[in-house]
Amino acid sequence: MIRIIRFLKDLKYLFKRFVLIANVLPVLFGFLIAWKYYGVSFSDYFVSLLLLITGSGMLVAGALACNNWLEADVDKLMERTKNRPTVTGTMSLRTVLWIGLSLSFIGQLLLLFINFEVAVYGWIGWFTYVVVYTIWTKRRVTWNTHIGSLSGAVTPLMGWAVIDPAIHVIPLSLFLIMFLWQMPHTYAIAIRKYDDYARAGLKMLPVVKGYQTTICRTSIYIALLIFVPLLINDMSPAFYILLSLLNIAWLMIGIKGFRTKDVKKWADQLFISSLIYLVGVYTLYLIFV
């Protein structure tokens, strides 16, 4: 029993449970928004929904495990990653790699059972996160965050594509929101964990360019979010008004960074507000679509 509990605890850190949930939820919301938009029967897509949740969950978990395997050396240097099994030694690197690749393969296969488009979006997310982000850019350039954001931005497309092709203004607008949103969100994390990233030598924007540049970029990306709703032309006025107010409120928090005396406290506020913002966005889409 103790071994089982310890194994489950290791999996919690290996799969970064909150990151896992945060990546699967937009997939689910993408499906629900498409389901409501087209007014299709839920029972007709019940099996596909189960495959979607299970497949995307396994694919994300596999990607996160592969990330752990690839970053075992730098994880040893950071406080935030000290409990990962690749650091504590409770799992061998070979075991972690095996888990990562196995889950990735099975998850990708389950998505393929739904349709080819869903599987393609899943593959794009996995490849950009594991290969382009983790291997090629995270240790070399500050724009690694853009790559990581691209990986997360495909999640609502996966959910929508279960019902209809995602080359549609609504899922594409969600893609843009997810991409732009992840920049300030990730910058907030990088500021909060500045010492860890600096110690590990990872090229995060606050570490390389400083706080002021990061605050400036944060405000720019939040400001760009204000224009995304303009791409949609068939929502009610209430949708545009409420989403605009949500965007402006978050922008005010971003701009606050220019005059703050405690950057890390501001980063905490930015991080929490980023979660509230994203939940608000998906709620508005689901209500008004």
Side-chain angles (χ1 to χ4, degrees):
M1 179 61 71
I2 295 176
R3 288 184 177 181
I4 294 176
I5 294 174
R6 185 179 299 168
F7 179 71
L8 292 175
K9 186 177 180 181
D10 284 339
L11 290 181
K12 178 183 73 174
Y13 290 114
L14 184 66
F15 298 147
K16 311 174 190 179
R17 54 178 176 168
F18 294 118
V19 179
L20 174 62
I21 294 171
N23 277 273
V24 175
L25 280 178
V27 177
L28 176 60
F29 271 108
F31 170 85
L32 292 175
I33 293 169
W35 164 72
K36 187 181 178 187
Y37 181 81
Y38 290 109
V40 296
S41 172
F42 189 83
S43 59
D44 290 344
Y45 289 92
F46 182 71
V47 174
S48 294
L49 178 60
L50 290 180
L51 288 172
L52 178 70
I53 295 174
T54 306
S56 61
M58 295 182 76
L59 188 63
V60 173
L64 293 171
C66 290
N67 172 268
N68 275 243
W69 179 76
L70 289 165
E71 295 191 333
D73 56 336
V74 294
D75 282 347
K76 295 177 181 178
L77 305 174
M78 298 193 289
E79 185 70 18
R80 65 188 290 264
T81 54
K82 67 179 182 179
N83 292 318
R84 291 179 183 174
T86 49
V87 176
T88 61
T90 52
M91 280 187 185
S92 68
L93 290 178
R94 183 176 181 179
T95 299
V96 171
L97 179 60
W98 182 85
I99 290 174
L101 294 178
S102 298
L103 287 176
S104 298
F105 176 78
I106 296 172
Q108 188 69 64
L109 188 62
L110 292 177
L111 295 180
L112 190 59
F113 286 152
I114 302 172
N115 63 54
F116 184 71
E117 185 178 357
V118 175
V120 167
Y121 293 137
W123 167 250
I124 291 172
W126 188 94
F127 183 80
T128 53
Y129 181 75
V130 175
V131 179
V132 186
Y133 172 69
T134 304
I135 298 178
W136 292 348
T137 63
K138 194 173 182 181
R139 305 191 192 206
R140 294 183 176 90
V141 290
T142 58
W143 50 268
N144 67 76
T145 308
H146 296 73
I147 302 300
S149 296
L150 177 62
S151 175
V154 300
T155 49
L157 301 183
M158 293 169 63
W160 184 283
V162 173
I163 295 176
D164 198 60
I167 307 303
H168 184 286
V169 66
I170 292 178
L172 290 177
S173 68
L174 285 170
F175 171 86
L176 286 175
I177 288 174
M178 287 295 295
F179 178 79
L180 294 170
W181 170 84
Q182 285 177 98
M183 307 302 291
H185 176 76
T186 306
Y187 291 156
I189 296 173
I191 292 174
R192 297 169 78 208
K193 304 299 181 182
Y194 179 96
D195 294 337
D196 272 353
Y197 286 119
R199 191 182 307 114
L202 298 177
K203 303 299 183 182
M204 305 305 290
L205 186 64
V207 176
V208 178
K209 300 290 186 178
Y211 289 149
Q212 286 303 307
T213 298
T214 305
I215 293 169
C216 183
R217 300 264 183 98
T218 293
S219 299
I220 290 172
Y221 286 117
I222 297 177
L224 289 173
L225 283 166
I226 296 174
F227 299 97
V228 175
L230 300 178
L231 300 174
I232 311 172
N233 56 15
D234 59 351
M235 293 288 208
S236 72
F239 171 80
Y240 299 106
I241 293 171
L242 292 173
L243 186 53
S244 295
L245 290 174
L246 192 61
N247 284 328
I248 292 170
W250 198 28
L251 179 58
M252 291 175 65
I253 294 174
I255 294 174
K256 183 181 175 182
F258 287 110
R259 60 179 185 274
T260 186
K261 294 181 179 179
D262 189 340
V263 176
K264 291 198 174 182
K265 183 178 179 180
W266 169 78
D268 289 337
Q269 296 172 351
L270 181 67
F271 176 78
I272 294 171
S273 62
S274 72
L275 300 177
I276 296 172
Y277 172 83
L278 194 62
V279 171
V281 166
Y282 277 106
T283 301
L284 289 175
Y285 267 81
L286 196 54
I287 291 173
F288 290 103
V289 74

